[in-house]
């Protein structure tokens, strides 16, 4: 698989087979992602990877807390700016509509939407869950570095025939996650990520999200 194929076939996978991912594969993916660039080569990423019993335990901790607190804990950062403007607002809306359409959930059916959203907190059934942390002192440039690192993980996963879904949703449970993983307060949870074999039959995995045309985001001069 070349880079273009890895980029093209990566999609947010929201249903997995329960086939385990060998430790050697996870290590190979992380070893590869080590080569991601970062400003000043700070390599500001910290990753925790869970499978088996620890994964089930953490999922159970959050599942037990969800009914009392469906919105999660006090957020540490805004996943989106409070009032999204165009064209971002429409893109976000369409992405949600298209996602729920794949599983036949109507806009008005808030309960079904919540139920689907809550599947974030079981990593959509993936056998491996990753958590990406960053040192609290780091600024926006280092957050961008962390994003590049996550993309490397997602593309390398494709090379191993695996799929992923990056999950900011986990930031709503940063305390529970950090407590369970004994992560010192110096580190802040950015996102989780599901990793595993795609369930090819699952309707939700049929979603292919749109992208803006090149002319909408790129300006080329002097060619
Ligand atoms: C940093 C980041 C966080 C995301 N968080 C979530 C999430 O919490 N739950 C989810 O279902 N999808 C999440 N996504 C997936 C996006 O919705 C998805 O990337 C986008 O709609 C484009 O679709 P694609 O990944 O299938 O190409 C996240 C993606 C990124 C890059």
């Amino acid at each position: 698989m070349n880079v273009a194929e890895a980029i093209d076939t990566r999609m947010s996978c929201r249903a997995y087979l329960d086939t385990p991912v060998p430790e050697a594969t996870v290590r190979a993916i992380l070893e590869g992602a080590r080569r991601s660039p970062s400003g000043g080569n700070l390599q500001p990423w910290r990753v925790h990877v869970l499978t088996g019993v620890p994964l089930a335990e953490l999922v159970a901790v959050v599942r037990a807390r969800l009914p009392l607190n469906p919105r999660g804990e006090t957020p540490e950062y805004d996943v989106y700016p409070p009032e999204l403007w165009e064209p971002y607002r429409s893109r976000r809306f369409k992405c949600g509509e298209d996602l729920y359409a794949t599983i036949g959930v109507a806009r008005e059916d808030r309960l079904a939407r919540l139920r689907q959203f809550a599947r974030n907190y079981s990593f959509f059934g993936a056998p491996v869950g990753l958590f990406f942390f960053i040192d609290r002192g780091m600024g926006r440039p280092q957050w961008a570095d962390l994003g590049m690192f996550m993309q490397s993980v997602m593309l390398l996963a494709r090379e191993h025939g695996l799929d992923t879904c990056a999950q900011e949703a986990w930031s709503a449970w940063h305390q529970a996650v950090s407590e369970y993983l004994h992560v010192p307060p110096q580190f802040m949870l950015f996102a989780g990520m599901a990793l595993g074999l795609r369930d090819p039959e699952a309707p939700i995995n049929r979603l292919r999200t749109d992208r803006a045309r090149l002319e909408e985001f790129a300006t080329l001069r002097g060619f």
Side-chain angles (χ1 to χ4, degrees):
M1 179 176 281
N2 63 34
V3 180
E5 282 165 346
I7 291 176
D8 195 47
T9 60
R10 188 214 55 80
M11 42 80 76
S12 292
C13 176
R14 296 185 178 90
Y16 292 84
L17 303 178
D18 52 16
T19 317
V21 178
E23 181 182 346
T25 307
V26 173
R27 285 187 178 276
I29 291 171
L30 294 176
E31 288 279 358
R34 274 187 328 139
R35 299 302 309 173
S36 303
S38 56
N41 203 20
L42 296 192
Q43 306 162 66
W45 38 79
R46 293 283 299 205
V47 195
H48 287 253
V49 192
L50 304 183
T51 193
V53 173
L55 180 66
E57 277 178 3
L58 178 54
V59 164
V61 166
V62 172
R63 188 185 299 130
R65 296 185 192 183
L66 259 176
L68 297 171
N69 205 357
R71 287 174 179 273
E73 299 156 350
T74 310
E76 290 207 286
Y77 70 90
D78 286 332
V79 168
Y80 304 106
E83 292 289 330
L84 266 187
W85 52 97
E86 292 303 334
Y88 313 108
R89 190 187 164 88
S90 298
R91 288 179 187 165
R92 184 181 174 202
F93 181 83
K94 177 148 195 315
C95 169
E97 292 300 291
D98 290 350
L99 175 72
Y100 291 110
T102 62
I103 50 171
V105 168
R107 175 142 203 86
E108 314 75 58
D109 196 346
R110 289 200 55 219
L111 201 66
R113 286 185 173 226
L114 265 179
R115 218 178 288 130
Q116 170 55 37
F117 186 77
R119 290 185 50 74
N120 269 291
Y121 304 119
S122 57
F123 287 103
F124 304 109
V128 175
L130 298 96
F131 290 102
F132 296 86
F133 288 84
I134 187 159
D135 195 303
R136 247 167 233 291
M138 294 296 173
R140 283 184 276 199
Q142 291 77 43
W143 280 63
D145 297 338
L146 177 57
M148 288 186 246
F149 178 77
M150 290 174 66
Q151 170 77 333
S152 297
V153 169
M154 293 192 278
L155 298 183
L156 287 161
R158 286 305 303 130
E159 199 177 69
H160 288 270
L162 298 171
D163 276 284
T164 53
C165 184
Q167 297 180 271
E168 278 156 342
W170 277 104
S171 66
W173 291 100
H174 59 95
Q175 276 167 5
V177 173
S178 297
E179 251 170 58
Y180 181 84
L181 298 172
H182 302 292
V183 172
Q186 177 195 353
F187 294 97
M188 178 169 170
L189 177 64
F190 169 45
M193 186 185 288
L195 171 73
L197 263 184
R198 183 187 312 189
D199 178 350
E201 307 296 330
I204 200 156
N205 284 339
R206 285 193 208 127
L207 177 67
R208 287 295 171 276
T209 46
D210 299 334
R211 293 293 188 275
R213 288 174 309 116
L214 189 147
E215 292 70 25
E216 289 179 52
F217 67 87
T219 307
L220 284 74
R221 293 197 177 89
F223 290 95

